[in-house]
Amino acid sequence: MYNHFSTMQSFDLLQQQFDQFFNRRHFPEQPKSLYNPAQYFLELGGKRVRPVLCLMGNELFETIKDDAFVVAAAVELFHNFTLIHDDIMDKAPLRRGKPTVHALYGESTALLGGDVVLVAAYQQLNEIDSTYSKKIIKLFNTTAMEVCEGQQLDMDFEQMDGLTLEQYIHMISLKTSVLLAASLRMGAILGNAGHGNQEHLYEFGRNLGIAFQVQDDYLDAFGDPTKFGKQVGGDILSNKKTFLLIHALETANTAQKQQLNQLLQSNPADKVEQVLAIYRECGVEEWALTLKNQYLEIAFQHLEDIAVLSSRKEPLRQLAYYLIQRDK
């Protein structure tokens, strides 16, 4: 069904192939008031990182199976289901620069729309070869539960003082990393990879996901807004618990901690500048870059330990470097 090459394909090529497979109507025509909002959200697009990781996980071991596109579609549908519901919880007006489903159609329709996107994901999984379906569905279900656990922990942490770095990393691993990791592993299952290779590929994805979140937190505080298209300090203004804030509270002296806690309770005009000054005094910037690189190195070690030709791993290496920008 698809053009496969003897050499490994780049992320961009696989993304184009996946878009050709995925960009269609996924729902019945009626009732339009339910299915059109769900389809609208899918058509907002996105980078398709998770479904393409599924394809890359398959191609690391064997020529991509048609079933890999079906599983990748299930992954993308599940991811979009989480985003529709996240937007409701966050009261977010925009997603990818366009109005969110609940902003356009109301919360009740958005909830139902998210639900039918999730059902559509499971419909995809029903179509794959029975040789793989039990393992794939078991991993898919475990991952789906973990993502929901991570989202709940994220909400719980908003009301919690004394959050530790370990607790935050656990939450990020569930909320963000496990879906990246499971996407790769589901592809590896379809590629008939051995258990050890599956484990290493999963850990590559999980640690890459944590490194990505450290980078995201870092850029929000220290990034160049002209380069990344967003204003610096959004997390600071919303008092969001991040790697940076947790480390600053753990390492600050008494006076710095007192000032930081006061800033968390208030909203002065120069709040971002004051918090960043404390971050710099506490060495947060250098620490965050070191932490990111630690998780990136762990990820690359797991990739190295996968028993396939090194050249076959190159697209995954390139994708990792793309996701983890090296500079501001």
Side-chain angles (χ1 to χ4, degrees):
M1 185 185 285
Y2 298 94
N3 293 321
H4 303 307
F5 305 94
S6 56
T7 54
M8 301 294 287
Q9 297 174 77
S10 69
F11 178 88
D12 290 342
L13 276 174
L14 290 173
Q15 182 187 52
Q16 290 167 23
Q17 291 181 41
F18 177 74
D19 281 342
Q20 288 172 6
F21 177 84
F22 188 78
N23 290 347
R24 55 189 164 82
R25 187 169 178 91
H26 289 264
F27 308 103
E29 290 298 326
Q30 297 292 340
K32 289 187 187 301
S33 54
L34 172 63
Y35 292 125
N36 283 0
Q39 185 64 31
Y40 158 80
F41 193 80
L42 296 184
E43 290 173 1
L44 294 182
K47 292 190 283 292
R48 314 287 202 206
V49 171
R50 292 153 192 83
V52 176
L53 284 176
C54 180
L55 303 181
M56 295 175 89
N58 182 168
E59 193 175 43
L60 187 61
F61 302 98
E62 284 185 0
T63 300
I64 298 176
K65 291 184 170 68
D66 288 347
D67 274 352
F69 284 87
V70 179
V71 174
V75 167
E76 182 65 6
L77 287 163
F78 173 78
H79 179 57
N80 278 271
F81 145 74
T82 67
L83 296 181
I84 293 171
H85 283 196
D86 283 357
D87 286 344
I88 298 168
M89 288 182 265
D90 295 341
K91 304 190 187 311
L94 296 174
R95 167 71 65 179
R96 296 164 187 154
K98 299 286 179 65
T100 48
V101 177
H102 69 92
L104 271 182
Y105 301 99
E107 285 192 6
S108 296
T109 293
L111 281 169
L112 284 173
D115 291 345
V116 298
V117 173
L118 178 62
V119 173
Y122 280 99
Q123 285 177 328
Q124 293 286 321
L125 293 179
N126 277 336
E127 295 177 15
I128 64 175
D129 192 300
S130 59
T131 311
Y132 309 98
S133 58
K134 190 172 182 181
K135 284 182 180 177
I136 295 284
I137 291 171
K138 182 179 180 183
L139 177 56
F140 192 94
N141 286 343
T142 300
T143 305
M145 295 279 281
E146 288 173 337
V147 171
C148 293
E149 290 168 14
Q151 177 66 14
Q152 183 63 50
L153 287 174
D154 194 19
M155 293 189 295
D156 291 349
F157 289 171
E158 289 177 15
Q159 315 301 324
M160 184 175 155
D161 293 324
L163 184 65
T164 67
L165 182 63
E166 289 72 23
Q167 288 172 313
Y168 185 72
I169 289 172
H170 176 63
M171 180 273 289
I172 288 300
S173 184
L174 293 172
K175 184 180 176 183
T176 302
S177 296
V178 295
L179 188 54
L180 295 171
S183 298
L184 284 162
R185 187 167 192 161
M186 284 187 273
I189 291 169
L190 292 166
N192 292 306
H195 180 77
N197 281 340
Q198 288 181 33
E199 287 284 309
H200 282 305
L201 189 57
Y202 184 92
E203 286 302 313
F204 165 73
R206 194 178 69 82
N207 284 282
L208 179 61
I210 296 170
F212 178 79
Q213 187 62 52
V214 177
Q215 175 76 356
D216 201 54
D217 288 359
Y218 169 85
L219 289 175
D220 190 89
F222 298 108
D224 179 350
T226 62
K227 190 169 179 181
F228 289 93
K230 65 178 183 178
Q231 187 56 49
V232 166
D235 289 345
I236 292 171
L237 290 172
S238 61
N239 290 342
K240 188 176 176 186
K241 300 228 170 53
T242 66
F243 280 103
L244 312 183
L245 178 60
I246 292 164
H247 185 69
L249 287 168
E250 284 182 348
T251 57
N253 62 34
T254 304
Q256 291 166 333
K257 194 172 292 186
Q258 187 176 8
Q259 184 187 358
L260 202 48
N261 281 320
Q262 286 173 348
L263 287 165
L264 291 172
Q265 303 300 321
S266 60
N267 205 22
D270 62 344
K271 179 175 180 173
V272 172
E273 290 76 13
Q274 286 194 59
V275 171
L276 287 179
I278 296 170
Y279 282 0
R280 290 190 174 97
E281 289 166 11
C282 295
V284 167
E285 186 172 5
E286 297 79 8
W287 170 84
L289 290 173
T290 300
L291 185 70
K292 177 193 75 173
N293 287 328
Q294 283 175 357
Y295 278 101
L296 193 57
E297 288 308 313
I298 294 169
F300 281 137
Q301 186 57 58
H302 280 290
L303 186 63
E304 182 66 27
D305 289 342
I306 296 171
V308 300
L309 286 172
S310 183
S311 60
R312 298 189 70 79
K313 306 171 191 177
E314 193 55 35
L316 285 168
R317 285 194 198 95
Q318 290 175 5
L319 178 61
Y321 280 116
Y322 167 73
L323 292 174
I324 308 294
Q325 303 290 340
R326 284 297 195 175
D327 57 10
K328 294 184 186 180

